[in-house]
Amino acid sequence: MSGPLPTVHVMTVATSVAAEVAMDVTVRTSDLAEAAGNVVRLLPPRLLDPVLAGLLVRAEPDGLVLAGTDRDRAVRLRRDATTRLAGAALVPARPLAATARALDAPDVRLVVEGSRLAVRTPGARFALPLLDLDAHPGVPEPPEVVGRVPGSLLAAAALPVAGAASRDDTVPAFTGLRIRAEGERLVLVATDRYRMAVASLSWEPVRGGLDVLLPSALVAEVARQVSAASTVEVRRTGSGADRVAVSWSGTTVACGVLDSPFPDESRYLPSTVDCEVLVDADRLAAAVRRVAPYAGPFSSVRLEVGDDALRVQGSDPASGEAEETVPATVDGDPVARVFRARYLGEALSAFSGSAVRLGMRGVHQASRITAAEPAANGVDLRYVVMPIRPR
Amino acid sequence: MSGPLPTVHVMTVATSVAAEVAMDVTVRTSDLAEAAGNVVRLLPPRLLDPVLAGLLVRAEPDGLVLAGTDRDRAVRLRRDATTRLAGAALVPARPLAATARALDAPDVRLVVEGSRLAVRTPGARFALPLLDLDAHPGVPEPPEVVGRVPGSLLAAAALPVAGAASRDDTVPAFTGLRIRAEGERLVLVATDRYRMAVASLSWEPVRGGLDVLLPSALVAEVARQVSAASTVEVRRTGSGADRVAVSWSGTTVACGVLDSPFPDESRYLPSTVDCEVLVDADRLAAAVRRVAPYAGPFSSVRLEVGDDALRVQGSDPASGEAEETVPATVDGDPVARVFRARYLGEALSAFSGSAVRLGMRGVHQASRITAAEPAANGVDLRYVVMPIRPR
């Protein structure tokens, strides 16, 4: 024995039920479609194990629970339902989600009939094969709450930050999004090494600390789903913090933390700059978008600071040259820096609707983009973009 | 000499201009964006010859002409413009279209500046390299009018017919759409050998006959662009009919005809059927769409005629089984036929908003879909779909 076995709280699935599975429950079609679609979007798209590709459908006396797991991520959603016969079944997740989405009847009935889960509406029956419920690992109970945050704020902070993470799975640390509690602020950070986004927002700490690295694609999907929730609870396992979960409006999503070193963002956030330009984010983004087809093989646009203006320039052997002038307020030495068009565009889109301060430093030092005025929702977003070598 | 050389009327480009190209014209940005986009969509996407990938931009005293050709297809559009200096230039087509589309200034000025065509708006300049105007083959004058048809009717007939054509370029005949004049009717036919669509609409013949096979993808793009035009003129070269053109609202599109044998559609249009089912096209299409995820590896759905109903059935080893019942009026022997889900869905979508008569015959004979009532616009559409071998 190398130590005590970890305690895993498993969603109770009485094994005696498996021999004679039964269920009869009616749910609003829109609820089922939204819930099944959300589970599918929160779990990895391709799971070879058919049992893990299954959706656990559980009719309880007071509602319907959908759950799924790939052994790392675990998702559970509860929706109101009218249960005639409580029970559980495991069925292929994607066909159920596709069927629920395509239905136009207002309500749908889920009934276990022999070796099938029948999805019934007036005039139609879709019969999904029952998978082996006993072989399913179950979905663990969520760990304890460490703090709470409004869904709209979490969405506003997490979506732009997740956009700065890498999609390259060969360097796992940079696919992660770091979430750290600092007293009554929650700090979110992601970087792909060429740019970094840092957001901080107020939250309500409950107990314990939080400093974890999570898959940024999962955080982005959660952010899209929580935006209408008044409260999102953030949870983590006892001391080791090896699992994190978030809960809102009957949904719980849990996953293991990424175990990778992550840079300290404060080293990359410049406190002083050589030149600061105050400019409208959308006007500058539109200019970058128009110049981008002329940005050449390395997709590089040049920003040149002039008197009361920022000039956006591109040059390409085939397309020709482009230059657009955007009105700006300039403070400091006029400089010129070259950026990748996409990184600049994505950074600016995070500040859409507001004016930004673009702070530039040396040729090999990151430039900083911040909102000119504090955001009304209190989310403080800072973006850092590395210039590329001038042409 | 094997005969007289063919006469090609080329858009006049004075060669003396090439040495000192000049142009200065102002046009509405939305007009330029729409016109340049239309030219790009009407020409093949990848042209290796940079001269043929160029767009001929010609400022005339009373307007702006955009033209392009790949030596087979030729496109010419005219838009209102304010010309300060008449002239012509050849520039890369796609960057011009992308730039015009991205601009938000109301007007745009095109000026030849040295070796560039400058696209200017207040605060922005996009400079496209001038290509060799002398090397461009020019765009032929359109041939003579053989008849006229309203744009909305041509669009209503050509789009569903083009959808029945093959996308497989290795069998060119089945990528074609046949257009044939029969007195005061125009008949459009396309087939990929598994289904066939035939539309007929009234038109105004002017002179000469018409029976040509054209690339269906080009016909579909033309159909999308003509839908708002009150009159579309159909043209063809003198006797050989080796080139066809259509003109509407300042636009002319010409192309060579496909020289392939094409089946006589009357052989495939059944006059009698074993069983005819009257059913709502959208209800049946929705049922087919819902059953499709259960249609199995060959994507086959079964239609079973019952009393006052059509049952749509699917079965798949992984997803399970589906059956949906659609109310129908049945006339004849109850039969069952298996169809590819996509073909059935596309056929029904051509009749969206109306009831259809589905006429079924033998297992190896094509089934027929026609509108239950004549269409208000007088376009008569008949669709034929081959059943597949029953499972």
Side-chain angles (χ1 to χ4, degrees), chain B residues 253-342:
Chain B
V253 180
C255 73
V257 304
L258 296 177
D259 182 20
S260 301
F262 193 81
D264 174 9
E265 78 273 10
S266 63
R267 287 175 48 203
Y268 301 92
L269 288 171
S271 51
T272 60
V273 294
D274 299 339
C275 173
E276 190 171 75
V277 178
L278 177 67
V279 64
D280 182 80
D282 293 329
R283 280 191 79 161
L284 182 55
V288 169
R289 194 174 61 244
R290 285 188 282 267
V291 170
Y294 302 81
F298 303 106
S299 187
S300 52
V301 295
R302 187 167 183 268
L303 297 190
E304 187 183 89
V305 176
D307 294 340
D308 299 326
L310 195 58
R311 281 190 288 277
V312 185
Q313 299 165 332
S315 174
D316 177 72
S319 303
E321 301 83 37
E323 176 171 308
E324 182 158 342
T325 303
V326 180
T329 306
V330 177
D331 179 14
D333 308 331
V335 298
R337 293 287 174 270
V338 179
F339 298 95
R340 204 159 292 259
R342 181 165 71 85

Side-chain angles (χ1 to χ4, degrees), chain A:
Chain A
M1 290 285 283
S2 64
L5 288 171
T7 312
V8 176
H9 303 273
V10 172
M11 190 176 173
T12 331
V13 176
T15 47
S16 64
V17 173
E20 37 172 344
V21 175
M23 185 198 317
D24 188 351
V25 61
T26 298
V27 61
R28 262 208 301 263
T29 306
S30 56
D31 281 355
L32 179 67
E34 180 253 351
N38 282 355
V39 176
V40 165
R41 278 190 290 276
L42 288 165
L43 290 175
R46 269 162 193 53
L47 292 170
L48 289 179
D49 182 344
V51 166
L52 294 184
L55 191 68
L56 208 54
V57 180
R58 186 175 182 79
E60 299 185 346
D62 56 346
L64 180 73
V65 174
L66 300 185
T69 181
D70 69 346
R71 289 185 197 273
D72 174 40
R73 294 187 195 178
V75 180
R76 177 155 37 169
L77 294 89
R78 170 182 289 277
R79 293 292 180 269
D80 289 341
T82 307
T83 299
R84 273 184 217 81
L85 188 58
L90 187 69
V91 294
R94 286 172 179 269
L96 179 63
T99 295
R101 194 174 54 237
L103 292 174
D104 49 19
D107 295 305
V108 59
R109 186 174 161 206
L110 306 177
V111 199
V112 170
E113 297 174 355
S115 64
R116 295 286 186 266
L117 176 69
V119 179
R120 286 183 168 278
T121 62
R125 174 181 183 271
F126 306 89
L128 297 156
L130 296 182
L131 305 174
D132 186 358
L133 191 60
D134 288 342
H136 196 271
V139 175
E141 290 291 332
E144 290 188 15
V145 175
V146 292
R148 295 188 184 88
V149 61
S152 61
L153 297 196
L154 185 60
L159 280 171
V161 171
S166 172
R167 279 104 183 128
D168 179 2
D169 283 331
T170 59
V171 197
F174 297 108
T175 65
L177 188 150
R178 184 182 185 177
I179 301 184
R180 192 175 69 237
E182 291 185 350
E184 303 206 329
R185 301 292 286 179
L186 200 61
V187 180
L188 280 63
V189 190
T191 178
D192 64 2
R193 286 167 292 172
Y194 307 107
R195 59 208 168 140
M196 174 181 270
V198 183
S200 98
L201 63 158
S202 69
W203 89 320
E204 181 200 331
V206 173
R207 56 181 296 281
L210 184 72
D211 186 1
V212 291
L213 191 64
L214 300 176
S216 65
L218 178 62
V219 175
E221 182 54 39
V222 166
R224 280 186 281 272
Q225 297 189 13
V226 299
S227 58
S230 59
T231 304
V232 178
E233 290 175 329
V234 181
R235 299 156 176 269
R236 71 164 176 79
T237 46
S239 56
D242 60 345
R243 277 186 80 73
V244 169
V246 284
S247 311
W248 72 94
S249 322
T251 300
T252 298
V253 180
C255 73
V257 304
L258 296 177
D259 182 21
S260 301
F262 194 80
D264 175 8
E265 77 272 10
S266 63
R267 286 174 47 203
Y268 302 92
L269 288 171
S271 51
T272 60
V273 293
D274 299 338
C275 174
E276 190 170 75
V277 178
L278 178 67
V279 63
D280 182 79
D282 293 329
R283 281 191 78 161
L284 182 55
V288 169
R289 193 174 63 244
R290 285 189 281 265
V291 169
Y294 302 82
F298 302 106
S299 188
S300 51
V301 295
R302 186 167 183 269
L303 296 190
E304 187 182 270
V305 177
D307 293 341
D308 298 327
L310 195 56
R311 281 189 288 277
V312 185
Q313 298 165 332
S315 174
D316 178 71
S319 302
E321 302 83 37
E323 176 171 307
E324 183 160 341
T325 303
V326 180
T329 306
V330 177
D331 179 16
D333 308 330
V335 297
R337 294 287 174 268
V338 179
F339 297 95
R340 204 160 293 257
R342 181 165 72 86
Y343 291 172
L344 198 55
E346 290 181 1
L348 290 165
S349 77
F351 296 94
S352 182
S354 64
V356 291
R357 290 184 202 281
L358 169 62
M360 288 182 275
R361 297 188 294 161
V363 175
H364 301 292
Q365 291 176 295
S367 292
R368 176 184 75 188
I369 302 179
T370 53
E373 304 290 337
N377 60 8
V379 174
D380 172 41
L381 179 66
R382 286 165 293 166
Y383 219 103
V384 160
V385 185
M386 278 300 290
I388 59 181
R389 203 161 52 91
R391 287 165 300 194

